[in-house]
Structures are given as structure tokens and as C-alpha cells.
């Protein structure tokens, strides 16, 4: 179990990795912003174009799968877009961790690192994305909570994809708007975070099978649960400060937190 002081060490080492390649990190996150805008435009255009077809049922052959009830096409699209969004997040996040790992080893950060998840360990990362989506969707369905298929979105995620993130729930707690439902959401989000916290770097940077990576992620997270919770608080404070000045500060905060999360991964699994 790592002490609370590890949080400051993660932020310090992460800051050093970030500053070491400052302009390259900023450039990569500007590219992420551009890709996010383009992706939002494309998905919005597809949704608008298919909106008129929202009442068209699936083929009759699928009827028994849904208790005799056909589901609208738009419902299917929500699932497809949710799974695709989770997969994209997983692939790109893997690329960021691969980039941070290369910087830590003394190499230069390259734009290609952002897309490394599409080549390096692509199949295991895709499997991880599917497991993440299915597990999170099922978990929140059981609790009757809003969809949080991207609850791991610590970077590059718009607000609407973080409805149940621990940071967002912590914000409700600190602002005094805590309710029973919020408590349930916070605990469920923390539970999911513990399961998947280190899963992406474990899959991207090692040869571990996906299920073994999930097992190791949960083990490392539970062992350091209090320290990681402290990191969430620190990340919330830093992100809130970075969100000022029209959000421009996030271009500094997000890559810094990415590097600090890589630092946390390295310390948890090398000590």
C-alpha cells in the first residue's frame, strides 16, 4: 500500500514528463480536441439523418431476443455509438499511455503515439473496450443509474460522457448538493473506477491477457484505494482550476494528469 504522499509524487513526476515534451503534448491534445469536434459532428449528422427512421424495427429474426418486443433503430444506435465511443476512448488512451511510457524512457513524443492503440495491442484493447462497455452498462442497469459507459474518461471526454465520474460526483458532494442518489452514484462510480483504473495501461504496455489485466487492475486499485481516492480529489482541484479562463488551462491540466496517471501505474506495479 502506497502512502498519501505518493499522490504528490505522481503529480510531480507527471509534471516533469509533461514539461519535458511540453509543446508536443499540447499539440497532441489540440489534435484530440479537433478529432472530438469532427467526431461529434459526424455522429450528430448520422443521428439527424437516421432520426426519421427511429421507429423502424429491427428484422423480425431478432424479435425473440427482446422478449417479443422489437426495439427502435435509434435504441440500437445508442448502443452502437456508446460501444464505439468506449472503444475510441480505450484506443486513444492507450496511445497516450504508450506516449508517456516512451517519454519516460527518454524518447520523443510523437503524434503517431496517439494512434498506437490502433496497431499495438489492438485486439486486446478492443476486447477491453467491449468488456468495459458491457460491464458498465449492466452494472448501471442493475442500479437503475444513467449510462456511464465512459466512466473512465479522465481525459479527452466532453461533460456529457462524465455524468457519473467520481470527479463529478465529488463536485456535488463538495458543493453541498449531495443526495442519496448521488451517494449511490459516487460509490458505483468509485467501484467501477477501481476495477478499470489501470486496465488500459496494463493491456497496452504489457503482454497480459485482458482478464488478467482487469484482475491486476482491481488488485492494485483496492490495495491503494485510499491513496487513489486522494488522487481523485487532487485531480478534481487541478481540473477545476484548469477549467477557468474559458477552459484553456485544460490544455495544460489534461496532459499533466495523463502523465501523472502513467506515473501512478508505474509506481503501483513496480513497488
Amino acid at each position: 500500500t502506497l502512502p498519501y504522499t505518493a499522490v504528490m509524487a505522481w503529480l510531480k513526476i507527471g509534471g516533469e514528463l509533461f514539461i519535458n515534451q511540453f509543446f508536443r503534448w499540447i499539440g497532441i491534445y489540440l489534435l484530440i480536441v479537433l478529432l472530438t469536434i469532427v467526431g461529434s459532428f459526424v455522429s450528430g449528422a448520422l443521428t439527424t439523418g437516421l432520426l426519421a427512421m427511429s421507429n423502424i424495427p429491427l428484422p423480425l429474426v431478432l424479435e425473440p431476443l427482446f422478449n417479443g418486443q422489437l426495439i427502435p433503430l435509434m435504441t440500437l444506435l445508442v448502443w452502437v455509438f456508446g460501444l464505439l465511443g468506449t472503444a475510441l476512448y480505450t484506443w486513444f488512451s492507450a496511445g497516450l499511455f504508450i506516449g508517456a511510457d516512451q517519454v519516460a524512457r527518454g524518447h520523443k513524443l510523437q503524434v503517431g503515439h496517439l494512434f498506437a492503440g490502433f496497431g499495438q495491442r489492438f485486439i486486446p484493447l478492443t476486447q477491453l473496450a467491449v468488456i468495459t462497455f458491457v460491464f458498465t452498462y449492466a452494472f448501471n442497469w442493475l442500479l437503475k443509474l444513467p449510462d456511464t459507459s465512459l466512466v473512465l474518461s479522465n481525459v479527452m471526454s466532453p461533460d456529457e460522457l462524465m455524468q457519473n465520474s467520481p470527479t463529478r460526483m465529488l463536485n456535488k458532494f463538495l458543493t453541498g448538493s449531495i443526495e442519496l442518489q448521488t451517494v449511490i452514484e459516487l460509490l458505483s462510480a468509485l467501484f467501477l473506477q477501481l476495477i478499470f483504473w489501470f486496465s488500459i495501461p496494463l493491456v497496452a504496455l504489457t503482454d497480459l491477457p485482458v482478464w488478467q489485466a482487469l484482475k491486476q487492475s482491481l488488485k492494485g486499485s483496492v490495495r491503494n484505494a485510499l491513496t487513489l481516492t486522494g488522487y481523485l480529489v487532487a485531480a478534481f482541484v487541478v481540473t477545476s482550476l484548469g477549467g477557468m479562463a474559458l477552459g484553456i488551462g485544460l490544455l495544460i491540466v489534461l496532459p499533466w494528469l495523463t502523465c501523472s496517471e502513467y506515473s501512478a501505474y508505474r509506481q503501483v506495479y513496480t513497488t
Side-chain angles (χ1 to χ4, degrees), residues 24-261:
R24 290 174 181 265
W25 278 113
I26 296 297
I28 282 181
Y29 268 83
L30 285 174
L31 178 58
I32 288 174
V33 171
L34 177 61
L35 291 174
T36 302
I37 294 174
V38 172
S40 298
F41 176 80
V42 172
S43 62
L46 287 174
T47 301
T48 301
L50 293 170
L51 187 60
M53 304 170 60
S54 61
N55 292 320
I56 297 180
L58 291 174
L60 294 177
V61 69
L62 294 181
E63 182 174 357
L65 297 178
F66 302 100
N67 298 321
Q69 295 182 353
L70 298 177
I71 63 173
L73 179 61
M74 284 303 296
T75 301
L76 177 62
L77 288 177
V78 169
W79 294 346
V80 171
F81 284 147
L83 178 58
L84 179 59
T86 304
L88 287 171
Y89 168 75
T90 302
W91 294 327
F92 283 125
S93 294
L96 292 173
F97 280 114
I98 291 171
D101 184 64
Q102 290 299 302
V103 173
R105 297 177 186 274
H107 303 292
K108 287 187 177 297
L109 182 67
Q110 304 290 340
V111 173
H113 288 143
L114 178 62
F115 304 96
F118 291 89
Q120 184 174 340
R121 304 280 290 164
F122 175 77
I123 294 178
L125 287 169
T126 303
Q127 293 172 340
L128 176 62
V130 173
I131 293 172
T132 301
F133 177 79
V134 172
F135 186 91
T136 307
Y137 189 93
F139 185 83
N140 288 306
W141 179 81
L142 289 174
L143 292 179
K144 300 186 183 301
L145 296 176
D147 180 37
T148 56
S149 59
L150 292 183
V151 72
L152 300 182
S153 303
N154 294 320
V155 296
M156 64 176 281
S157 303
D159 243 7
E160 60 267 26
L161 299 182
M162 298 181 64
Q163 290 302 314
N164 285 331
S165 70
T167 302
R168 191 177 183 90
M169 295 302 104
L170 180 62
N171 182 33
K172 290 184 178 181
F173 179 82
L174 294 178
T175 54
S177 58
I178 192 73
E179 298 175 354
L180 178 59
Q181 179 70 7
T182 302
V183 173
I184 296 175
E185 291 173 359
L186 175 60
L187 293 177
S188 65
L190 286 174
F191 176 72
L192 291 173
Q193 189 84 355
L194 288 176
I195 295 176
F196 296 106
W197 194 305
F198 296 111
S199 60
I200 293 178
L202 282 169
V203 171
L205 300 174
T206 72
D207 294 325
L208 288 176
V210 174
W211 286 109
Q212 186 65 24
L214 287 170
K215 180 180 177 181
Q216 289 298 318
S217 177
L218 179 60
K219 182 178 179 180
S221 299
V222 170
R223 183 181 300 170
N224 299 280
L226 294 179
T227 306
L228 291 173
T229 301
Y231 174 80
L232 281 178
V233 174
F236 165 75
V237 174
V238 172
T239 303
S240 297
L241 294 175
M244 300 177 182
L246 301 178
I248 296 177
L250 292 177
L251 283 176
I252 294 178
V253 169
L254 294 182
W256 176 22
L257 291 180
T258 297
C259 292
S260 68
E261 288 175 21

